[in-house]
Amino acid sequence: MQLSKWAYDLAESLLAENLPQRWAHSRRVYDQALSLAPALGADAELLAAAAITHDVGYARSAVDTGQHMIDGARYLRDVIGADPRLCSIVAFHTSSPWEASELGLDEALAEFGPAEPELVDAITYCDLTSSPVGELVDPAHRLAEVLERYGPEHVVFRAVSAARPELLERVARVRDRKAEAAAARLS
């Protein structure tokens, strides 16, 4: 079975019934990952698997530290026995390092390092172009929505506020990579 099919089935079993909006979001993140396949080459299947599982840390059976990125990666590693690269992408997605620092979870995040920058860029792009209900969205609007939803006293607000410039740089790098891959296909 393909890695992304296995991952899709797993994420669906953990999210679809109890967290339907999270599942809708995860499906859009997956679709965005599939759109990056021409720019990723051999890592396209791995990114698709990470995209669909990136939020399994929200599932009740996966919660451990309360930081969904680390919890999802631990669940994938410890319960499922998933590929370490897949676990790393899930662990480091989007604002995870900033959130881990806020929560004193740097050592827990380090269990999954080092991060692969190109794949972390790609998963961040996919996450930030997908709304909480599975619609395509502008990354700047997505970040504004996260800040509004959590409010200034929440750890996610502080982490995303600090991470925002880097997150938008990641998105820009992926857009450049997509454009280069499209140009190469046309030439």
Side-chain angles (χ1 to χ4, degrees):
M1 183 183 296
Q2 285 186 339
L3 178 62
S4 64
K5 171 68 173 133
W6 163 86
Y8 192 99
D9 292 345
L10 172 69
E12 183 176 33
S13 74
L14 292 170
L15 301 174
E17 186 175 329
N18 295 320
L19 299 166
Q21 282 192 333
R22 186 68 51 195
W23 176 234
H25 166 73
S26 295
R27 287 192 329 263
R28 174 59 68 183
V29 174
Y30 176 76
D31 289 344
Q32 290 295 88
L34 295 177
S35 79
L36 294 179
L40 291 174
D43 287 330
E45 181 75 12
L46 177 63
L47 180 69
I52 198 66
T53 60
H54 83 287
D55 276 354
V56 298
Y58 284 112
R60 190 179 340 228
S61 59
V63 174
D64 179 24
T65 66
Q67 204 254 38
H68 81 275
M69 299 91 149
I70 293 170
D71 292 349
R74 281 183 170 174
Y75 183 87
L76 291 168
R77 180 190 66 197
D78 299 342
V79 176
I80 305 301
D83 180 298
R85 291 180 72 211
L86 171 66
C87 298
S88 179
I89 298 165
V90 170
F92 283 94
H93 83 267
T94 315
S95 61
S96 182
W98 292 268
E99 195 172 319
S101 181
E102 283 277 337
L103 294 168
L105 294 172
D106 292 324
E107 286 184 31
L109 182 59
E111 295 172 19
F112 301 98
E116 295 181 62
E118 288 186 350
L119 292 173
V120 171
D121 283 359
I123 193 75
T124 299
Y125 167 88
C126 296
D127 194 19
L128 294 182
T129 56
S130 305
S131 81
V133 295
E135 298 170 350
L136 287 174
V137 66
D138 176 79
H141 290 113
R142 173 80 163 109
L143 291 170
E145 177 275 320
V146 169
L147 295 175
E148 182 178 318
R149 182 168 19 120
Y150 285 98
E153 300 305 316
H154 198 279
V155 63
V156 171
F157 181 97
R158 294 189 304 272
V160 168
S161 293
R164 188 176 187 283
E166 171 60 24
L167 298 177
L168 292 174
E169 286 178 24
R170 290 178 185 177
V171 168
R173 287 191 294 265
V174 172
R175 285 181 172 154
D176 290 347
R177 205 167 159 198
K178 271 182 80 169
E180 290 170 9
R185 281 192 312 275
L186 294 174
S187 59

